[in-house]
Amino acid sequence: MLRPIDYIILFIVTVLLQLLLFDNIEVTGLLSIFVYPLFVIALPVSVAPGALLLLAALMGVTIDFFSGTAGLSTMSIVLMAFVRPAVLRLMVGDATDSVPVSGKIGSYRFLRYATVMLLVHNIAFFMLESLSLEHLPITLLRIAVCTVFSLAAVYFCQLPLTRQKERF
């Protein structure tokens, strides 16, 4: 289990990665890479539901403030945090002893769990962004492409967390 200071650092690092690196990657308006959901994905299982929603809202407001996305990030990541306990129970099962990262639960379980979490985030984000079913095929394509690339970014960004030694 990581110390609270480690999660503060994770918060700052994911915000900086998102704002300084991944927000500047654009390919024909189709690709957006979201790495900031890693903060919620990698929180300990023992975090109380209210605290989880509050931390997710703090992350979303921070990203929205600096990206100018007018609440899209906040709504998407809070929804992701809301469904997280159920997704953990369904996708990871009994291996949720502390922190759901690949070093603890295995790469296969982590990828399944992170894929579902990113899908929830991306569906909410892009459906709220379009606010219409008029361009549904393009929106679905954006959801799929962004989920694949975000999953790769999240997986590689969580690898340093798996190398942390147990401190308690």
Side-chain angles (χ1 to χ4, degrees), residues 51-162:
L52 180 64
L53 293 174
L54 187 63
L55 290 168
L58 180 63
M59 173 60 82
V61 167
T62 303
I63 295 296
D64 283 334
F65 180 77
F66 290 109
S67 295
T69 49
L72 290 175
S73 298
T74 302
M75 289 184 270
S76 302
I77 200 162
V78 168
L79 176 64
M80 189 181 88
F82 181 76
V83 301
R84 181 181 183 250
V87 171
L88 275 171
R89 276 193 306 276
L90 291 172
M91 303 303 279
V92 180
D94 60 349
T96 58
D97 59 344
S98 59
V99 181
V101 292
S102 65
K104 300 278 185 183
I105 63 174
S107 291
Y108 177 70
R109 282 183 173 177
F110 176 79
L111 287 172
R112 279 189 345 185
Y113 159 64
T115 300
V116 171
M117 296 297 286
L118 288 169
L119 271 173
V120 168
H121 175 274
N122 291 346
I123 288 169
F125 188 91
F126 290 116
M127 293 306 284
L128 287 168
E129 183 183 55
S130 69
L131 284 178
S132 167
L133 296 178
E134 183 178 341
H135 304 287
L136 186 62
I138 295 296
T139 303
L140 292 175
L141 180 62
R142 287 185 75 193
I143 290 168
V145 169
C146 292
T147 300
V148 168
F149 284 93
S150 295
L151 181 62
V154 163
Y155 181 77
F156 288 112
C157 287
Q158 64 85 40
L159 287 176
L161 298 176
T162 65

